[in-house]
Amino acid sequence: MTQLTAPDLFEPGLFEGTGFYDVFAWYRANDPVSWQRPAGDPDGFWSVTRYHDVVSVHRDSTRMSSAKGMRLGSADHAVGAVANKMLIVADPPDHTRMKRVLIQPFSNEVLSRAEEYVEEVVAGVVATAVRHPGPDLIEQLERIPTDVICAIMGLPRADWEWIGRKTTEAFESPSEVQRITANGEIFKYFSDLVRENRRTGTNAFISGLTARNSGGTRVTDEELVFNLSGILAGGNETTRFTLAALTLQLAQHPDQWDRVLRGDVEPAVATEEALRWSVPGMHVLRTATEALRIGDVEVEPGQRVVTWIGSANRDPEVFDDPDTFDVGRSGNRHLSFGAGRHMCLGSRLARLEITAYLRTLRVRVRSMTLEGEPRYNGSNFTWGLNRLPVVLHA
Ligand code: HEM
C-alpha cells in the first residue's frame, strides 16, 4: 500500500542501511521536487529525485552555482575559504580556467600510460587478500585508489600510508575537529610540496600542471594546493566504496559472479553497473542564481537545490528493473559521476581501477564468501560500506 504521508529523508540512521531507496521511490512517485527542511537547517532546500530533473540541474551551470557549497552540512566559512579556488566549489570563469589545466593528467591518453601500473597494484592487493584474508576486505581494497593516485601524483612512497589515513579521517571521522585537523594537515602537506617543487622541479606531476601556467591558462599555487587536496579526496573514498559495493554484490549473488567469471560479461560493462549501484556521491547541492523551474516547481534565486544521484540511478523511467544488480546491464546511463561541467575529473581513472579489479578477480579468484555483517557508513553524502567481511578464494 502506498504510504500517504511523506517519509523522512533525514531520519537518523537512514543511510546506515539501504532503506533510503524506498524513501526515494516514494518521492519520485509522489513529490519528485520536494521542499525539505530537516532539523538544524533553518533555510530548507528543494530535493530532486527523478533522473531527468537531476540531469537538468547538473547541466544548468549558468543558473546553478557550486560556489556556495556543493553538499549539505558544509560550514559557510570553510566553503568561503576555497570558493572559486577549488574545482568542485567553483563557477565559471574560474572553474573553466582551472579545469582546463587540471584535467590534463586524467585524459585517456595520459592515463593509458598508467594502465600497467594500475593492473600491478590491483594484482598485488588481490593476491594479498587471497593469501591473507583479514576480517575486513576494505582494509585491503583501500590500497587500490590510494596507491594509484599517490603514484600518479608522484608522492614519496613513505607518505602513502599517512595520506590514506588522513584522507579517511578528513571524510569519515565522527569528530568535526578531527576532520578539520586532517584537512588542514593535507593542505599543509601539498603546500610544502608545491613550494619545494618550485625550487627543485622534481615532481613531474606538479611541474606538468605549473608548466601549463606559462602556456596561457593559469592556476595559482594556492589553487594548485586546494585542487591537489580535492583530487586526492575525490579519488580515494569514492573508488573504494565502488570496489567494496561491487565485491559485496558478487559475493551475495553467485549467479552474477559466474557471468563475470565465465566471461559472459565484459569487465567494462560490469564496471558501469558497479558504479550505478554503489553511488559514492549520494547527493550534490547547487544554489539557484536566477528564478527557474524544475518539473512543476518554481525555484527562487538564492534557494538551494539538492539532487539525489542515488535516486536518479534507480529511476524506473530510465532503468529497467532498477533495484536489481545486473552485471550485464546495457545502456547504463547512470549519474554516479554527475553530469555537466562538474562531471567527475577522475571518472576515467576510477573506471580503469574498477575494470582492472574485475579482470584480476576473474583470473585469480574462484569464489567469494560473506563471513559476517557488512556495514554502511551512514552518510548521505559520501555513502558506502565501511565494513566488508568478504573472503576471496583462489
Ligand atoms: C567511483 C569513483 C568516483 C565517483 C563516484 C565520483 C563522483 C563524483 C561526482 C558525482 C562529482 C560531481 C560533483 C558535482 O557535480 O558537484 C565528482 C567531481 C569530481 N571528482 Fe569524482 N568521483 C570518483 C572518482 C574520482 C577520482 C578517482 C578522482 C581523482 C582523480 C576524482 C576527482 C574529482 C574532482 C576533482 C571533481 C570536481 C570536478 C569539477 O568540479 O569540475 N573523482 N566526482
Side-chain angles (χ1 to χ4, degrees):
M1 198 172 74
T2 313
Q3 185 178 338
L4 294 178
T5 53
D8 185 0
L9 244 176
F10 294 89
E11 187 188 305
L14 188 61
F15 286 82
E16 282 166 19
T18 54
F20 60 86
Y21 281 120
D22 293 337
V23 176
F24 285 152
W26 187 93
Y27 279 101
R28 277 194 311 268
N30 299 288
D31 197 3
V33 186
S34 66
W35 182 251
Q36 299 279 339
R37 228 178 87 180
D41 187 332
D43 301 322
F45 52 85
W46 293 107
S47 163
V48 182
T49 47
R50 283 188 184 161
Y51 182 97
H52 293 295
D53 291 336
V54 170
V55 170
S56 77
V57 171
H58 283 247
R59 295 233 164 106
D60 190 347
S61 51
T62 46
R63 297 181 301 175
M64 285 290 173
S65 167
S66 292
K68 288 191 166 59
M70 58 68 64
R71 59 165 292 185
L72 289 166
S74 51
D76 286 351
H77 63 90
V79 175
V82 291
N84 289 320
K85 296 176 188 166
M86 194 174 193
L87 277 183
I88 206 147
V89 286
D91 289 336
D94 292 308
H95 180 268
T96 319
R97 171 179 56 82
M98 292 189 291
K99 197 154 189 176
R100 208 170 279 153
V101 175
L102 293 160
I103 202 145
Q104 299 297 324
F106 298 99
S107 66
N108 269 341
E109 192 203 336
V110 179
L111 280 183
S112 62
R113 284 181 243 140
E115 216 162 309
E116 212 172 299
Y117 181 73
V118 172
E119 298 271 351
E120 220 174 90
V121 170
V122 171
V125 166
V126 172
T128 310
V130 168
R131 250 184 284 120
H132 309 288
D136 187 354
L137 185 63
I138 287 188
E139 286 168 14
Q140 289 160 319
L141 291 182
E142 69 188 6
R143 266 193 46 217
I144 295 175
T146 305
D147 288 10
V148 168
I149 196 69
C150 286
I152 286 179
M153 287 176 144
L155 306 181
R157 191 172 274 268
D159 300 345
W160 293 7
E161 196 265 320
W162 180 88
I163 292 271
R165 191 156 33 86
K166 286 294 150 191
T167 330
T168 302
E169 268 174 40
F171 270 95
E172 292 269 300
S173 172
S175 140
E176 196 187 348
V177 174
Q178 203 175 9
R179 286 199 304 270
I180 292 172
T181 309
N183 263 315
E185 285 177 77
I186 295 170
F187 281 163
K188 162 107 178 40
Y189 178 85
F190 282 119
S191 177
D192 291 347
L193 197 69
V194 168
R195 197 173 329 105
E196 172 76 5
N197 200 61
R198 280 273 173 222
R199 211 170 46 79
T200 61
T202 47
N203 183 308
F205 181 84
I206 294 176
S207 298
L209 293 173
T210 46
R212 277 178 199 94
N213 291 352
S214 54
T217 311
R218 237 184 70 77
V219 171
T220 66
D221 280 4
E222 188 193 32
E223 288 166 348
L224 195 55
V225 169
F226 290 151
N227 282 294
L228 290 173
S229 311
I231 289 169
L232 190 70
N236 255 343
E237 293 253 299
T238 49
T239 313
R240 181 216 308 167
F241 285 143
T242 301
L243 294 170
L246 167 63
T247 314
L248 178 60
Q249 288 310 305
L250 295 177
Q252 286 179 321
H253 303 286
D255 54 324
Q256 300 286 320
W257 165 235
D258 257 10
R259 294 171 72 193
V260 175
L261 192 60
R262 286 199 313 260
D264 294 350
V265 172
E266 281 306 310
V269 172
T271 293
E272 297 310 309
E273 183 66 345
L275 286 161
R276 182 186 77 91
W277 195 262
S278 57
V279 207
M282 186 54 75
H283 79 255
V284 162
L285 182 143
R286 300 286 189 258
T287 305
T289 57
E290 294 172 29
L292 57 103
R293 258 185 110 73
I294 307 172
D296 293 337
V297 159
E298 300 282 352
V299 177
E300 292 169 21
Q303 285 185 327
R304 294 180 302 159
V305 175
V306 166
T307 61
W308 294 99
I309 294 177
S311 178
N313 279 0
R314 299 282 184 109
D315 190 336
E317 289 278 317
V318 177
F319 301 98
D320 292 338
D321 202 4
D323 297 323
T324 297
F325 178 80
D326 171 6
V327 274
R329 185 178 289 278
S330 62
N332 195 340
R333 293 181 295 141
H334 65 78
L335 296 178
S336 289
F337 291 125
R341 72 164 49 248
H342 286 280
M343 170 105 184
C344 180
L345 179 97
S347 58
R348 292 186 190 91
L349 179 59
R351 285 185 163 116
L352 202 67
E353 292 174 25
I354 301 157
T355 308
Y357 178 61
L358 276 158
R359 265 203 300 267
T360 309
L361 287 182
R362 204 157 73 171
V363 175
R364 306 215 175 182
V365 171
R366 288 291 109 194
S367 65
M368 36 189 106
T369 47
L370 183 59
E371 310 269 337
E373 269 300 297
R375 196 174 58 212
Y376 290 93
N377 65 356
S379 168
N380 67 10
F381 178 55
T382 47
W383 178 75
L385 287 158
N386 60 7
R387 180 167 188 271
L388 181 66
V390 164
V391 174
L392 307 179
H393 306 278

